[in-house]
């Protein structure tokens, strides 16, 4: 039997390192959907400076494609469909995760409906699997859905140029805790991905717990820094007496996340509140939503903050701090949407049109 | 007896119209401290396009000065010292209101310690009189302190060029309700200021009530739009379903102001919540703090939001929405301070230095 085929959609800092880890292991056939950098990478390959893999020149995975549709237009069945794009359900229709997955999953289905597809979402947030489960009947399309949480300080600093300064650590598991096929697929994936002495890759038995845990940071700190446009150390130091950001925003917001998670039976370790507050206290780091906002791009607001708040509302959990951040960030997201032409505001009627 | 002498410090949209109203009435001798536009105005005068006074070319008050110190270096006793600059107690030392007043008040004191000086603050916020009262002994320096609340759509659109599109309405009264000298001075001032058929000017019997009332707008709406950098109609429309900004931020924040005012015995009319929400719903208007932030200038955060919150804290009033806005805006103010060189952040130690 031939090796599994993997396609990675999204060629930012995460996607390229993901393709690199798989290609280095060399137990799978790796395709990467490159989009905007396609011509450059086709011609010159990637320039990678990686703390895990060293300096690579003209590096390429086994195959590159310009679009997911192009990747689907092949005779390969993709055992793993990996999505590393930003998850922005309120963004353009084409960028919604279920629409990115669609051509690849349908292609697999047409090619061999008896063979199992495994969709791995390496993305932020909670409840991000739902739009896929709602769009594609799981029995008909014969797929599992896997969660990847990636920690990697990796950035695309220029066309076809990746700079990885932080060691990669990925955990992969099944979104649906009762799906034994998914669990098996996740474990197999670790075998395709883990490069001893280089990256870290572990099977994740409790995906939802891990995602809530990561939300402690993202819902409280990522959001706040995005709102003001400040790195974490400045956000902390610029508070009243250097304290209010930590004690009036970050920590109360994290306690609210702990409360929401608890409302669905997930007990988070409170020591992570200090851990996450301190992790970038002295590190000149701008979280992803802050970077997006400064680039003028939409933020992953709904999966990071909107979805937790919808769960809180359903369970009657009070969230004054997180809700306050959300209602402000929704306006900022609107500003970004207008700047990106996704909504149009008529200054005569003072209404959003179309 | 000669006419009263008036000096206006601050030659922005408000200060110039203020000097114009006084000069038009022609019952006082009017000096204006012009600062940055001094050379231009000295040479060419003001170009004014005013809905109240029409088009004026090469207009000048009776006297102009470059600084308050220059104005103090004369043989005139200034019966009214009017401050129309922004009130930013956390800004540069020289721009603090007590330091702006100082040379003029000392000059008056040296010239004739038996004659009464009247300091009129045409500025936003609450408790803005305190720093003056704390700095200068009221008996020794023989002064009253007056409150001016100015509504005027007036902007300095270029060097020496003022565009007034909104009718001027000013109310003036005594900050200290028991100061009969101040009340008399305020009433006399209206006589020097009111131009029938042009501007509106009224004596204000309950200054603190008026200031709390204006804070309904400024503490809730001015602050929010500053945080996001949006005009009021967009801020409203970009909320969740076009509703969350109004119902989760503006109105709850205004209800908190009503609660703080009530804690010191001032009963605000709740109908102003709807009034202020609707006043710029369909008007492409950016409140002052939003304009300041977009210009990269410090915001009047402490007098508009910090002082009300200090009163709330003293009286044990809960202010979740206003406090949330404040703790975020303090960070934004820090960002503006750093950009203006008022604080320095060391990226190595991740601390504010000096």
């Amino acid at each position: 039997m031939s090796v599994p085929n993997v396609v990675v959609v999204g060629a930012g800092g995460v996607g390229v390192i993901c393709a690199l880890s798989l290609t280095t292991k060399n137990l799978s056939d790796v395709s990467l959907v490159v989009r905007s950098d396609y011509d450059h990478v086709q011609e010159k390959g990637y320039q990678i400076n990686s703390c895990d893999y060293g300096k690579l020149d003209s590096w390429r995975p086994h195959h590159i494609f310009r679009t997911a549709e192009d990747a689907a237009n092949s005779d390969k069945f993709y055992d793993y469909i990996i999505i590393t794009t930003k998850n922005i359900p309120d963004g353009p229709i084409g960028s919604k995760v279920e629409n990115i997955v669609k051509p690849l999953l349908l292609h697999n289905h047409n090619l061999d409906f008896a063979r199992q597809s495994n969709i791995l979402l390496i993305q932020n947030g909670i409840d991000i699997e739902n739009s896929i489960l709602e769009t594609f009947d799981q029995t008909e399309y014969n797929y599992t859905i896997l969660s990847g949480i990636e920690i990697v300080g990796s950035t695309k600093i220029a066309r076809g140029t990746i700079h990885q300064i932080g060691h990669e650590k990925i955990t992969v598991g099944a979104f649906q805790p009762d799906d034994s096929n998914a669990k098996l697929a996740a474990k197999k994936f670790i075998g395709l991905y883990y490069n001893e002495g280089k990256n870290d890759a572990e099977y994740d038995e409790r995906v939802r717990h891990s995602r809530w845990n990561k939300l402690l940071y993202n819902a409280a700190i990522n959001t706040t820094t995005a709102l003001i446009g400040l790195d974490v150390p400045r956000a902390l130091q610029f508070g009243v007496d250097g304290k209010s950001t930590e004690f009036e925003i970050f920590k109360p917001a994290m306690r609210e996340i702990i409360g929401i998670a608890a409302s669905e039976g997930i007990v988070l370790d409170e020591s992570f509140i200090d851990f996450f507050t301190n992790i970038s206290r002295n590190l000149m780091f701008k979280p992803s939503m802050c970077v997006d906002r400064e680039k003028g791009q939409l933020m992953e607001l709904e999966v990071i903050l909107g979805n937790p708040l919808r769960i809180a509302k359903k369970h009657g959990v009070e969230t004054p701090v997180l809700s306050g951040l959300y209602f402000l960030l929704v306006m900022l997201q609107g500003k970004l949407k207008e700047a990106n032409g996704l909504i149009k505001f008529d200054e005569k009627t003072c209404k959003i049109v179309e």
Side-chain angles (χ1 to χ4, degrees), chain A residues 174-190:
Chain A
F175 269 113
Q176 297 160 290
D178 299 332
D179 185 342
S180 54
N181 291 332
K183 291 183 176 190
L184 197 59
K187 286 173 186 164
K188 278 190 186 162
F189 182 80
I190 299 299

Side-chain angles (χ1 to χ4, degrees), chain A residues 4 14-15 22-23 26 40 45 58 61 82 87-88 120 124 172 185 200 221 233 238 251 255 266 270 284 298 304 343:
Chain A
V14 171
L22 288 161
T23 308
N26 208 21
H40 179 99
S58 312
I82 305 181
N87 192 316
I88 302 178
L120 168 57
N124 279 319
V172 177
D200 274 309
I221 297 179
F238 288 177
K251 289 182 169 177
R255 280 195 291 270
I266 288 177
E270 297 212 358
M284 290 308 303
L298 296 200
I304 284 176
I343 58 173

